[in-house]
Structures are given as C-alpha cells and as structure tokens.
Amino acid sequence: MHLFYTPDIEPSHPQYFLSEEESKHAVRVLRLNVGDKVQLIDGRGGLYTAEIKDAHPKRTILQITDVVTGFNKRNHYLHIAIAPTKNIERLEWFLEKATEIGIDEISLIICQRSERKEAKVDRLNKIITSAIKQSLKAYHPILNEPEPLSKLLSRSFDGQKFIAHCEESDKSNLKQDISLNGKYLILIGPEGDFSPKEIEDALHNDFKAITLGQSRLRTETAALEACFEVNFLNRE
C-alpha cells in the first residue's frame, strides 16, 4: 500500500485533500485511481488508512477509513547532537539510517574544530521524511538548526547526558550507564573531535564521557553506533 506524509492531517476530519505535489505523484506517477487504498502518516504518531474518492491530479480527495494513534511509539527518547560533516553526504547518510533505526531529535552543533559550520535544514528534513516513509515510521524526528555547542550545553535536558570523544580519559559505555526507557542526549563531535575545553565544559554540565568501542570511528559512524546501541538496549 502506498504511503504519504501528511503533517497537516487532523484525526477528527473524515476527508483529506492531498497537496498538488502529492496528488500529481499519486495520479500521474503511481497511477492510483478511485477506490484504491493508501496509508498516511502525520509525523506525530498517527497512521491513517484512506480510500481515494476523487483521483484528481491537483487535489486528490481521500476518505479516511481507519486511524491508529501512537503507532509503534518507542519506549525511550533519543536526542543526538552531531557536528555536521565536511562532506554533507555523510551527514545525510546518518540522518537516513538513524531515522530508519529510530531517533527522536537531532541537533546540529558547531564546534571549535568543525570544518562545516552550516547546513541546509530544509534539504536534510526531506531526507528524514523519505526515510520515515521507507521504514513506516509515524513519528517524524525533529531536526534543529545549526548552533554553537556552547548554546546546547547551556540548556537543561530532562534525561541522561553523554559525550563520546577520543581523548584518553576514564570512560564507561552505554550498557553500563544507561537507564532503560529513559531520555538520552548524546554528543558526537566533528572529524577532529571535540577540543579539550569543549570536553571539560560538557563534563562540567553533567555530561558523562562514554566510549563507543575500540575502533576510531568517523563522525557519522559514531553517531549511528550510538543510535543503534540505545535502541538495542531498549528493545523490548
């Protein structure tokens, strides 16, 4: 069954009008017609089943036949703050795979050693949207605009906070420290790692240093490894 992302849909409304772009895709590309069934996701946990009532290429009308709220809601909240990679395609790869595995929020942080200090959030959000459709996720991860690491460190977070870095120091791992079914914020630095001052500031703000294994990982690989570990440890 074909799936559409419809963030403006309301559960109480019996009908929904696809946007012109989505209508054209449904009618001209997918060749859908009156009576065909489709699924819709709103990015807020809603999964809808609908039937096409008018297959118009500019304004397709759907009749909602079933609504599931809280579809596949996960038992934890994962927020990864990652420094944008010099090669933006590596960050795009992380966003796609992390969305498929399971993530709730991503912050883009600018660090002292960052080689990339900007990112087109609109384009990155399209990659996330494509990934939730591919993996049938009803929740759309939040992607925050790039900001200095210092701003993120200054904000409160109601959960466990970790920083993964490469400096030689005492570190634990997520399996040892994680409280299951909780909220987690994990910092992943740029290609040149966090600076000693940034690590010190994070620890001062109650972040705990962790290791993600013995290998030296690329930024996007480290972030995905953290994402996988959190989801695996919280698997019911």
Side-chain angles (χ1 to χ4, degrees), residues 36-175:
D36 287 337
K37 296 288 185 69
V38 296
Q39 287 184 312
L40 315 171
I41 48 175
D42 61 11
R44 307 183 302 274
L47 174 68
Y48 304 73
T49 303
E51 181 180 327
I52 296 178
K53 289 299 182 183
D54 183 6
H56 194 285
K58 289 189 176 181
R59 193 171 171 80
T60 294
I61 302 175
L62 304 177
Q63 183 73 34
I64 308 301
T65 59
D66 186 59
V67 181
V68 178
T69 59
F71 179 73
N72 282 349
K73 183 175 176 60
R74 300 184 310 129
N75 59 2
H76 60 284
Y77 189 95
L78 174 59
H79 180 179
I80 289 185
I82 179 174
T85 50
K86 182 179 180 181
N87 181 345
I88 197 64
E89 290 181 358
R90 295 189 181 279
L91 177 63
E92 293 172 356
W93 176 85
F94 162 70
L95 293 174
E96 178 184 75
K97 302 310 175 188
T99 300
E100 292 178 7
I101 292 172
I103 193 168
D104 300 283
E105 187 172 357
I106 305 104
S107 288
L108 304 178
I109 50 174
I110 308 305
C111 304
Q112 182 179 330
R113 295 172 179 169
S114 291
E115 295 189 65
R116 174 178 289 276
K117 300 184 184 298
E118 52 81 32
K120 296 180 179 178
V121 171
D122 286 346
R123 170 177 167 76
L124 298 177
N125 260 318
K126 289 180 180 178
I127 291 170
I128 293 174
T129 299
S130 178
I132 66 169
K133 291 166 69 176
Q134 167 66 34
S135 54
L136 191 54
K137 294 282 197 302
Y139 291 91
H140 195 293
I142 299 167
L143 177 63
N144 298 314
E145 293 278 353
E147 66 175 358
L149 172 63
S150 57
K151 282 193 174 182
L152 184 138
L153 292 180
S154 67
R155 288 199 296 272
S156 61
F157 178 76
D158 181 24
Q160 292 183 281
K161 302 188 292 186
F162 303 99
I163 178 171
H165 65 79
C166 300
E167 291 285 318
E168 290 292 333
S169 67
D170 290 333
K171 302 175 191 173
S172 57
N173 60 55
L174 288 171
K175 184 177 180 180

